[in-house]
Amino acid sequence: MILEIAWKNIWRSKLRSLVVIVAIAIGLLGGVTAVAFMNGLLIGRIDDALEIEVSSIQLHNADFMENSELKYLIDNVDDYIVDIEKDSSVKAVSKRLVIETMVSSNRAAAGLSLIGVDPEKEKQVSRLYEKMLDSNSTYFVGVKNRPIIIGEKVAKKLKVHVRSKLAISAVDVNGVSVRSVFRIVGIFRTQNGGFDEMNAFVRFKDLQKILGIEDGKAHEVAIILHKMLETETLKNTLQEKYTRYRINNKSLLRVLNDSIPESVYYKLLSIKSDKEYSKIEFESMLKNSFIEKTNELYSKQVLTACETGIEVSEWKQLSPELAMQTSWMDFVLYIFVGIILAALGFGIVNTMLMVVLERIREIGMLIAIGMNRRRVFSMIVLESVMLSLVGGVVGLFLAGSLVSFLSINGIDMSMFSDGLRALGYPSMVYPYIEADNYIKVTLMVVITGILAAIYPALHAVRINPSIAIRE
Amino acid sequence: MSIITLSNLNKIYNEGTDIPVHAVNNVDLSFEAGEFSVIKGASGCGKTTLLNLLGGLDTPSSGNIIIDGVEIGKLSASNLTNFRMNNIGFVFQAYNLIPVLTARENVEFIMHLQHKSKKERKERALALLESVGLRDRADVRPGKLSGGQQQRVAVARALASKPKFILADEPTANLDTKATENLLDIMENLNKVEGITFIFASHDDRVIKKAHRLIELEDGKVIG
């Protein structure tokens, strides 16, 4: 019955309650939609980042990650690819050659990363082929001899267009300078201006031939998973299988750079050798040889420092800024909605205080006839929670409807496309918010209702019935 | 047998200041079960203060109040609230019904606090409304009832918890003659037929005329 009274009491002053409800609803509509918008922006960025730039997982020669020299290749790369393709979580795999080079046209030159890809395999890993600028551009179609694809910004810088020739200067595996001419078949434009400015694509076999790289070798293996973001399991499996560990001069230098204690450094120095270990073997050796309890804290750093062979990196490592933004999205929601609710909370405090002050005689009567103070407190808190919840439900319903509509139709931000491209974000944003966030926000609304009611409820329980009844 | 005993009861407002007000002054009284008593006196003589002390709504400056063998001054705040709920019925001058509840729900409310079943609550509430002549207005909210009808609902509410006695503070002050007579007849009848104990605080002659026992207060003292 107290629940019923609390509910009925909300509607005593309809206008006042409606003002609070509308304020909460608008606050949540704004807060949730804004967070959904940021989420959509980030998801758009992540989708493109993974499907065009970094893929889900990449394999490299461990030394290549530190120093992108031509010689740091993955040997027997096709064996790795066959092995990886057996995993059911893998959607596609593509090998790449990657060199830093100078590209020049008749009128200008630019330094960029030249990436050699197998076009058919690469299309399964990367959606770059969808990002061709116009109908003149193709994805390695139309020119048999040494086709090249460049970004729009590079094309502008070099003042070239489709069918123009570009000269590539590089150093082959023997250290000899080579120069080769490619013909532009496509100009791409992704949502990340930085990516467009830094990368050009040629066929794997063309680059392999120019650089004199033997068959079965590549710099990079790009893997895309069916569930693009869920990389941890496969990453760990591959790392376990492919990464080797060795304590040599290079790893010792890394240990020093990581500020690992000198005692650990000298112990590692004492067992330095060129022998390579699997992860299990290496961990077991560390444990048995010298890593004591106090040094276990550093064992992860030691492992990383001693990595050799193949290094397996997931998108979170390849693009840590995206990983950070993803992990912050929930936090952003709490902060955003929290600030809005805190502001609204003061409005609820004011309303509930008015409610109590207007009903002093009635509350006094309730206490007089036997309603204990705990129940009086609960009644006021319930009124506040119900009032907040009505606003919350209305706000979340409106926000849900709006986000749902916008998630299908999108928000066209093309007027800011230059700025967004510079940061790598899409100009068409599809707001999105996880379903469980609605529950979390509802809980936050309930908590706000409870907190906002505490002061008015304490005021109510302190009412002296003998005085209140005569008011 | 006394159900209420007041001994050496005092209530002093502004105690310790230059202008203390002795609202209840050394009162010794007792009330028997089944009484229909009226505490009378001019405005400000201490009637309401005495009634509030009797009902455990206010604490005396000194003296004892023993109700049905329980010295209420020794009860904790929450025990005193429970004691009021189970032993004392209140009828206030301004009715003080809950405006968002119907007449029946107002009567049921205290039984809800006593954790009575829904069925028992409903049956007793309707029976009590019947006894005050408002069975047909059970589903009407107080705002749609006249002053007299609201006060009759308040009487039914006061009876709902099966209290040992009912305290009525100026219950007729806001009522016209007809409503007053109607209300007093109902209360008198409840006293006669069901043995309900009523203690009034009033200076209304119509109430005083009905009293079986008159207690006269002047400046907080019982003078007759």
Side-chain angles (χ1 to χ4, degrees):
Chain A
M1 191 173 239
I2 290 179
L3 205 70
E4 194 186 335
I5 293 177
W7 175 252
K8 286 177 175 171
N9 278 337
I10 294 175
W11 306 109
R12 275 190 183 186
S13 175
K14 286 192 180 73
L15 182 64
R16 187 172 59 203
S17 295
L18 280 172
V19 167
V20 176
I21 288 164
V22 169
I24 294 172
I26 291 174
L28 288 184
L29 173 67
V32 171
T33 309
V35 173
F37 174 80
M38 287 189 279
N39 226 350
L41 208 59
L42 183 61
I43 288 169
R45 169 79 190 107
I46 289 174
D47 280 354
D48 263 28
L50 265 65
E51 290 184 291
I52 293 172
E53 298 164 36
V54 294
S55 58
S56 301
I57 293 174
Q58 288 185 3
L59 264 56
H60 299 95
N61 181 316
D63 294 322
F64 185 83
M65 290 303 278
E66 231 170 76
N67 188 356
S68 320
E69 282 186 37
L70 179 66
K71 62 182 178 183
Y72 296 133
L73 291 149
I74 300 171
D75 295 331
N76 305 317
V77 69
D78 296 321
D79 294 344
Y80 287 112
I81 291 173
V82 169
D83 187 42
I84 293 163
E85 281 175 336
K86 284 178 192 163
D87 194 291
S88 59
S89 66
V90 174
K91 187 179 167 193
V93 187
S94 178
K95 64 181 177 185
R96 294 168 181 167
L97 288 171
V98 183
I99 59 163
E100 301 304 319
T101 187
M102 186 62 78
V103 177
S104 52
S105 67
N106 292 337
R107 301 163 74 178
L112 41 74
S113 292
L114 189 65
I115 302 164
V117 296
D118 176 341
E120 287 314 305
K121 288 270 186 191
E122 188 69 12
K123 274 170 93 170
Q124 295 170 42
V125 170
S126 163
R127 284 196 293 107
L128 186 70
Y129 68 93
E130 291 177 359
K131 303 291 179 184
M132 293 301 131
L133 197 58
D134 52 41
S135 56
N136 293 328
S137 293
T138 64
Y139 191 71
F140 297 110
V141 177
V143 175
K144 283 186 180 172
N145 202 16
R146 291 184 182 160
I148 186 169
I149 291 170
I150 59 170
E152 186 191 22
K153 283 195 172 181
V154 177
K156 279 185 182 162
K157 196 172 175 182
L158 299 179
K159 299 185 174 67
V160 291
H161 47 79
V162 174
R163 302 284 163 188
S164 296
K165 286 181 181 175
L166 285 180
I168 307 289
S169 305
V171 177
D172 71 6
V173 283
N174 301 314
V176 177
S177 286
V178 288
R179 190 175 160 83
S180 190
V181 176
F182 284 76
R183 191 177 290 278
I184 300 168
V185 290
I187 296 173
F188 61 84
R189 183 185 190 184
T190 70
Q191 66 189 21
N192 185 352
F195 178 83
D196 296 359
E197 207 169 356
M198 298 299 295
N199 297 284
F201 294 82
V202 296
R203 290 189 304 207
F204 188 95
K205 60 183 182 186
D206 294 339
L207 194 57
Q208 184 188 26
K209 195 172 170 185
I210 292 164
L211 300 173
I213 293 170
E214 294 167 27
D215 280 349
K217 292 187 176 186
H219 288 120
E220 187 172 286
V221 173
I223 306 166
I224 200 94
L225 303 185
H226 292 294
K227 290 179 180 172
M228 283 193 300
L229 301 177
E230 293 172 21
T231 50
E232 207 172 328
T233 311
L234 184 65
K235 190 243 172 187
N236 290 338
T237 310
L238 296 182
Q239 188 163 355
E240 194 84 31
K241 269 162 94 175
Y242 301 154
T243 309
R244 294 289 175 269
Y245 299 86
R246 182 175 58 190
I247 305 167
N248 60 5
N249 287 338
K250 200 176 273 182
S251 49
L252 285 169
L253 191 64
R254 289 183 198 143
V255 165
L256 278 179
N257 287 341
D258 279 356
S259 310
I260 296 170
E262 273 188 23
S263 58
V264 177
Y265 171 78
Y266 284 113
K267 280 176 180 175
L268 287 169
L269 185 65
S270 68
I271 53 168
K272 184 183 118 182
S273 85
D274 273 338
K275 193 180 171 190
E276 288 184 0
Y277 299 90
S278 70
K279 193 178 180 188
I280 295 170
E281 289 168 345
F282 192 69
E283 277 180 330
S284 156
M285 189 197 73
L286 289 182
K287 206 168 184 178
N288 294 335
S289 313
F290 64 92
I291 296 288
E292 300 141 13
K293 281 272 176 210
T294 48
N295 290 328
E296 273 177 13
L297 285 171
Y298 300 101
S299 61
K300 200 175 173 186
Q301 279 171 273
V302 171
L303 267 174
T304 311
C306 296
E307 275 177 3
T308 185
I310 304 298
E311 187 165 330
V312 183
S313 318
E314 56 185 328
W315 68 273
K316 289 176 191 168
Q317 294 159 290
L318 297 162
S319 189
E321 77 284 359
L322 282 183
M324 186 192 73
Q325 287 177 49
T326 311
S327 63
W328 276 28
M329 276 321 287
D330 269 0
F331 187 62
V332 168
L333 174 82
Y334 298 140
I335 295 287
F336 228 77
V337 175
I339 290 171
I340 290 168
L341 286 176
L344 291 170
F346 285 100
I348 302 170
V349 171
N350 184 45
T351 302
M352 292 312 297
L353 203 55
M354 283 170 71
V355 162
V356 170
L357 293 175
E358 279 175 4
R359 292 196 342 235
I360 281 183
R361 196 170 67 182
E362 185 183 316
I363 294 167
M365 177 277 293
L366 292 172
I367 296 170
I369 66 168
M371 190 170 184
N372 62 36
R373 288 169 201 265
R374 185 173 52 80
R375 278 181 158 147
V376 172
F377 189 91
S378 306
M379 185 179 74
I380 302 298
V381 171
L382 266 175
E383 282 182 36
S384 172
V385 169
M386 283 177 172
L387 189 65
S388 312
L389 258 182
V390 173
V393 169
V394 172
L396 288 178
F397 174 75
L398 292 175
S401 306
L402 184 61
V403 169
S404 171
F405 173 79
L406 293 174
S407 70
I408 296 163
N409 297 288
I411 301 172
D412 189 358
M413 303 287 290
S414 50
M415 67 182 98
F416 306 113
S417 62
D418 286 345
L420 288 167
R421 277 194 74 226
L423 296 167
Y425 288 103
S427 54
M428 197 69 185
V429 182
Y430 295 91
Y432 171 78
I433 198 152
E434 297 259 3
D436 67 338
N437 281 329
Y438 289 107
I439 297 166
K440 288 175 188 166
V441 172
T442 307
L443 280 175
M444 288 172 80
V445 170
V446 172
I447 292 167
T448 306
I450 293 170
L451 293 177
I454 288 175
Y455 178 67
L458 284 174
H459 198 85
V461 298
R462 288 186 192 130
I463 288 172
N464 181 335
S466 65
I467 297 169
I469 287 161
R470 277 178 280 165
E471 290 231 343
Chain B
M1 185 197 157
S2 298
I3 54 165
I4 307 167
T5 308
L6 312 178
S7 47
N8 205 18
L9 198 67
N10 286 284
K11 179 68 186 179
I12 306 164
Y13 293 111
N14 304 329
E15 216 172 353
T17 66
D18 293 342
I19 41 162
V21 179
H22 219 131
V24 174
N25 196 345
N26 280 324
V27 170
D28 290 296
L29 271 177
S30 63
F31 296 89
E32 304 289 319
E35 276 194 21
F36 198 82
S37 308
V38 177
I39 301 166
K40 70 166 194 169
S43 285
C45 72
K47 299 188 297 291
T48 298
T49 305
L50 183 59
L51 218 63
N52 283 341
L53 293 171
L54 266 172
L57 297 178
D58 209 347
T59 49
S61 303
S62 63
N64 292 326
I65 304 164
I66 297 169
I67 299 173
D68 204 25
V70 177
E71 191 177 336
I72 63 169
K74 289 186 175 171
L75 295 174
S76 67
S78 84
N79 284 341
L80 182 60
T81 307
N82 280 337
F83 186 85
R84 281 200 303 268
M85 177 173 70
N86 294 315
N87 296 282
I88 309 169
F90 292 92
V91 178
F92 307 104
Q93 179 180 331
Y95 330 132
N96 288 351
L97 298 174
I98 302 170
V100 293
L101 300 183
T102 63
R104 178 173 63 79
E105 288 166 338
N106 264 287
V107 179
E108 275 188 40
F109 183 73
I110 197 162
M111 291 187 275
H112 170 78
L113 297 178
Q114 291 177 310
H115 305 293
K116 296 278 193 292
S117 72
K118 196 175 175 182
K119 185 169 175 270
E120 187 184 349
R121 290 199 314 251
K122 190 176 177 184
E123 282 173 5
R124 182 160 171 76
L126 289 174
L128 287 167
L129 286 171
E130 177 86 56
S131 70
V132 296
L134 288 171
R135 175 71 179 78
D136 57 332
R137 308 290 280 163
D139 295 321
V140 175
R141 287 192 179 186
K144 295 273 171 66
L145 297 172
S146 69
Q149 288 173 324
Q150 285 189 57
Q151 197 60 301
R152 278 145 64 192
V153 174
V155 171
R157 178 183 65 188
L159 291 165
S161 63
K162 297 183 181 169
K164 301 225 163 36
F165 58 94
I166 287 176
L167 299 175
D169 186 12
E170 305 278 11
T172 57
N174 294 343
L175 303 182
D176 59 26
T177 306
K178 196 179 168 194
T180 299
E181 276 173 14
N182 192 351
L183 180 76
L184 290 173
D185 286 347
I186 287 166
M187 289 168 132
E188 196 176 26
N189 192 43
L190 285 165
N191 174 257
K192 271 183 192 160
V193 177
E194 297 184 30
I196 309 283
T197 308
F198 282 92
I199 301 169
F200 294 83
S202 180
H203 58 262
D204 185 338
D205 287 340
R206 296 166 298 184
V207 180
I208 293 166
K209 257 191 252 170
K210 298 265 184 188
H212 301 170
R213 178 187 174 196
L214 269 176
I215 299 155
E216 195 168 356
L217 274 189
E218 192 179 283
D219 296 332
K221 285 183 180 171
V222 178
I223 57 165

